[in-house]
Amino acid sequence: MTNQNNNRITVTAALPYANGPLHIGHIAGAYLPADIYVRYQRQQGRDIIFIGGSDEHGAAIMLHSSPDFPELFY
């Protein structure tokens, strides 16, 4: 990639909360706009990275998923 001013861009998108059902708002409100932005910046030749799914609420996600996958946690 050619980047004349050497600025790097980082875009992040958090995981959805595990305490409610998944819905179209998760995609339309968080992931899709970030993905479109990152793809556009890459097409412009910018140095950009997209980090999706940073886990700031790991305990809630683990507790929510543990009944489905007990072998992973016990």
Side-chain angles (χ1 to χ4, degrees):
M1 278 186 250
T2 60
N3 191 355
Q4 295 178 359
N5 60 7
N6 235 359
N7 289 330
R8 293 183 174 156
I9 302 170
T10 302
V11 177
T12 62
L15 294 169
Y17 287 108
N19 60 355
L22 293 175
H23 53 80
I24 193 69
H26 290 114
I27 296 170
Y31 305 114
L32 188 58
D35 184 65
I36 291 170
Y37 177 75
V38 168
R39 289 172 189 264
Y40 174 77
Q41 294 296 329
R42 284 188 183 141
Q43 287 178 343
Q44 300 302 308
R46 297 202 173 79
D47 188 8
I48 187 165
I49 186 169
F50 181 32
I51 302 171
S54 61
D55 186 10
E56 298 172 359
H57 303 283
I61 291 170
M62 183 183 76
L63 291 174
H64 181 76
S65 65
S66 63
D68 298 327
F69 304 100
E71 68 277 2
L72 296 178
F73 302 105
Y74 303 106

